[in-house]
Every structure is written in structure tokens, then in C-alpha cells.
Amino acid sequence: MKAQALTNITKLLLFFAVFFLPLKTSLSNIGVIGLLFTHVLSFIFYGINHENKVLKRFLYFSPFILIVPVILGITYSPLPKEAFNEITKYIFLLIFPVMLFRKDLSNINFHNIIKKSLITGCLLSGLVLLSINFYNFSLQELPITKLFSSHFTGFRFLSPWGENLHPIYVGSYFIMSLSFIFFAELRVHVLLKIASALIIVTSIVFINSRIIFFSLLVLFFLLALEKLHWKVFAFTLTTLLIAAILIMPYFKQTYIYNKAVNGTIWELENNIGTHNTDTKTTSDSRMSRWIVGWELFKEKPILGHGSGTENEVLLEKYKENDMKLSVSQSYNAHNQILGYLIRFGLIGALSIIIFFIGNCYIALKQRDLVYISFFVLIGAIFCIENYVDRNMGINFIVLLGSTFLIRRHD
């Protein structure tokens, strides 16, 4: 009776934590914290699984490896308060993967629960946001191209949830839910799968994040390789290219195109105090911040500047380079790998490399396209965002990353 109750509570909290990822981060946090208590209870009731294979996957493949340099960086950080704040934020990367040591894991189908909860949460979020967006657009007499302007995409599209959800984070949840629909076993009618996929893809369009668009293209490419004969694949690709050429004159008039093409070019050039897609205000490109970050890495290449130092040392460099907006916004490196290089030097970069190489090897070996999609997505985002510096990213990585290990290493 005790075992069944703990199993049911764990399942409920897992569903809760994942379901609210695309809806409200604070509620997802409650689910994650609740799961931690179920881990403690499991260890008290059943003991700890000490098998070598469990310890190996915890040390080398779980998100735990990402917190190792954060812990080491505390010992030489010149900012103890900021270092402490950083470790409290990253602590979920350590304490959540301990579920791998639970002896009752076989009673819980983590993968199935996450699959259903993420798809359900994204569908609900997408339906609500699309309905509100289309309704607001219908109240104004605007040409259809204005539906794809900054007033109806990106942060504005997500604003009804009232939590300043970031398009990259929410977009990553939608990409993974689409991956489950494409590649995981779902016992639903094919028409329901198609309808769900259309809702999620449409939502991704309005989320309007360039790296999420890239991930979506990769996902479609994987789907085509997996499901289509090469002749059908070639025909489909040709058809899509022709369609793209035909609609391009209309698409070029939209904000989405301007951001995806012109905005990307601007971000990848060394622009300081110039106009991006917003002609009213000036900004600093990602490339300009990456150059500054690289200079900071070269100052302390082995161990870095220490935990909690990234924003402080970047701020000083921004001031030296007259990067006014970066100073006023206290921008971080906007690159997880570079952020680790600044704080933890090559030791930090090594932890990310181990995490990715190990998991990608397993994913490719198992030919698990959902697993592969997850690490393609995370790898792409790491290149342009400090993804694990916010709970929205940490929750996503620990919930899905740990679950893949449970499923694939038993």
C-alpha cells in the first residue's frame, strides 16, 4: 500500500512538473520540488541502488556533470554572495538526477508520463495563445501580413500567461512535444496526431525564435529521413522549395522574415550601438558580446573567473567598449558554452563536452530520434543562450535528460 501510494504521488508530481513548463514556471517548480521529496521517501523506504552502472550514468551522463564546475568555482570566486546564489539556482542539476538511484524506478514509466504531459501542456498553451492572438488581431483592421508583426509574435504572443516567458524556452518545449508526436509511440488516431502537430507548429511560428525555427527544420529533416522513401523525400523537398519561392514576396514583408534573415545577419556581425530590427532603439549584437566574452576567457583560460562572476566581469568589459545597452540590461554572454568558459575556463567547457558526447553517443547507438532531437535542440540553444541560467531551462533539462537515462540504461 505504501509503495503504491508513493508511486502514484511520484507520477502525479512528474506530470504536474512537465505539464506546467509551457504554462507557468513557478507551478512547474512546485512539481519538481515535490518530486525531490518522493526521492527522499523512496531512499528511506527502499534504500539506495548502489549498482556501478547507476553510479556511472549519474556521474557521466546525467545533468549532474554540468554542476561540477559550479561547485569547484565557488572555492576561488571573488564574489561569494553571487557564487552562493548561482549554486542555489543550479542545485536542481545535482539533486534531481539522484532519482537514478531509486530502487522503485521500474514501477514508474517516466518516459510515458513526460511524453503525455508535455504534449498536453503544449497543446493547451498553444490553443489558448493562438485563440487570444487571433481574437486580438480580428479587433483591428490590419492587412494579414501584420499578423506576423512584433505585436503578435514573440514576447507579445506569450504575454497572456503574464510571466514574461521567453520565446526560446517555450519554443524548446514545443519542439520536444512535436518530437514526441513525430517519433514516439502514441496510441491516438492519426488525424489527432496531425491536428496536434499543426497546432504546435503554428504556435512555433508565432513564438518567432530563430533558433527554434532552425530546430524545427532539423526535426522535419529527421522526420523525412525516418518516414519517407528517398524519392518521396526528394519530391517533397522540391515541392516545399517551389512553395517557398512563390510565397517569398509576401513573406519578405513580415517581421518574422526581417528578424529571421536581417536580424540574424546583424546578430552575427560586430555591431555596437546600432539598429537591429527595431529602428527606434540601438542595441549591441550577440557577436559583440561574444567577442568581449572571449577576451575574458583568455584572461583566465584554465579555471575561469569563478562561480557567480559572469555578469560582473562582462559588465566591466561592456563599459570599456561603450556597449550602453548591454550595460543597462546587464546582459550575460548569451552563449552557455562561452558563459562556462568565462566562469570556469576549460574545466567548464569540458563538463559540457562530456555531457553532450556521452548522451549523443547513447542516443545514436539506440537510434532514438526523440533523444537525438533533444540534444540537437539543447546543443543549438546553448550556442546562443545561457539556457541553464534560468529555472525554465534547468527544469527542462533535468526532467527530460534524466528520464532518457532511466529509459535507455535499464
Side-chain angles (χ1 to χ4, degrees), residues 93-369:
L93 295 174
L94 169 64
I95 58 181
F96 189 82
V98 299
M99 71 178 182
L100 296 171
F101 296 98
R102 287 179 62 162
K103 288 186 175 181
D104 60 337
L105 284 180
S106 59
N107 300 329
I108 307 164
N109 191 334
F110 280 83
H111 188 269
N112 193 48
I113 295 170
I114 281 184
K115 172 178 62 180
K116 292 179 179 179
S117 55
L118 187 62
I119 292 174
T120 305
C122 287
L123 281 176
L124 176 61
S125 179
L127 282 170
V128 172
L129 292 172
L130 289 172
S131 298
I132 294 173
N133 211 39
F134 289 141
Y135 174 74
N136 289 337
F137 179 75
S138 70
L139 297 178
Q140 306 179 49
E141 296 182 2
L142 296 171
I144 191 64
T145 54
K146 292 298 181 181
L147 179 60
F148 304 102
S149 69
S150 59
H151 297 289
F152 298 98
T153 64
F155 284 100
R156 290 289 185 89
F157 177 67
L158 299 173
S159 63
W161 294 131
E163 197 180 346
N164 196 28
L165 289 174
H166 196 289
I168 288 178
Y169 293 86
V170 180
S172 65
Y173 312 150
F174 277 74
I175 286 290
M176 279 312 299
S177 67
L178 196 61
S179 176
F180 281 123
I181 292 173
F182 285 169
F183 307 123
E185 181 181 352
L186 292 175
R187 296 179 181 178
V188 297
H189 195 279
V190 65
L191 291 179
L192 182 58
K193 290 178 67 173
I194 293 173
S196 299
L198 288 174
I199 291 169
I200 291 173
V201 170
T202 305
S203 300
I204 288 173
V205 170
F206 285 99
I207 286 172
N208 193 15
S209 166
R210 289 165 293 205
I211 201 66
I212 299 303
F213 287 157
F214 168 78
S215 301
L216 181 62
L217 289 176
V218 172
L219 206 59
F220 279 132
F221 182 75
L222 291 175
L223 177 65
L225 289 178
E226 174 71 9
K227 304 293 185 181
L228 301 180
H229 186 274
W230 73 268
K231 290 183 179 179
V232 179
F233 174 75
F235 174 77
T236 303
L237 182 62
T238 302
T239 303
L240 290 174
L241 287 174
I242 293 173
I245 293 171
L246 292 175
I247 66 172
M248 188 56 67
Y250 305 97
F251 186 52
K252 279 186 175 181
Q253 303 175 33
T254 67
Y255 170 72
I256 290 179
Y257 174 87
N258 188 33
K259 179 183 177 182
V261 179
N262 299 327
T264 299
I265 294 172
W266 181 89
E267 289 281 15
L268 296 178
E269 295 175 345
N270 186 16
N271 287 299
I272 296 177
T274 62
H275 294 285
N276 188 3
T277 54
D278 184 355
T279 57
K280 296 180 181 179
T281 59
T282 58
S283 186
D284 308 317
S285 67
R286 273 182 166 81
M287 180 59 71
S288 68
R289 298 197 292 275
W290 294 343
I291 292 172
V292 168
W294 185 254
E295 292 298 320
L296 286 167
F297 157 66
K298 290 193 295 184
E299 290 178 5
K300 296 185 177 182
I302 305 301
L303 294 176
H305 296 262
S307 297
T309 61
E310 180 180 339
N311 282 48
E312 294 294 328
V313 294
L314 279 172
L315 186 62
E316 291 302 315
K317 283 290 185 180
Y318 291 154
K319 290 177 180 178
E320 291 178 15
N321 288 272
D322 198 29
M323 300 168 69
K324 295 183 176 63
L325 187 77
S326 297
V327 172
S328 65
Q329 296 295 322
S330 296
Y331 279 143
N332 56 32
H334 276 70
N335 183 306
Q336 192 69 61
I337 303 168
L338 182 57
Y340 263 49
L341 285 171
I342 294 170
R343 286 174 281 171
F344 319 118
L346 294 175
I347 301 298
L350 181 63
S351 71
I352 294 179
I353 291 170
I354 292 173
F355 180 63
F356 272 92
I357 290 180
N359 281 281
C360 288
Y361 170 77
I362 298 166
L364 291 170
K365 183 179 179 180
Q366 299 291 340
R367 292 183 58 84
D368 186 335
L369 288 176

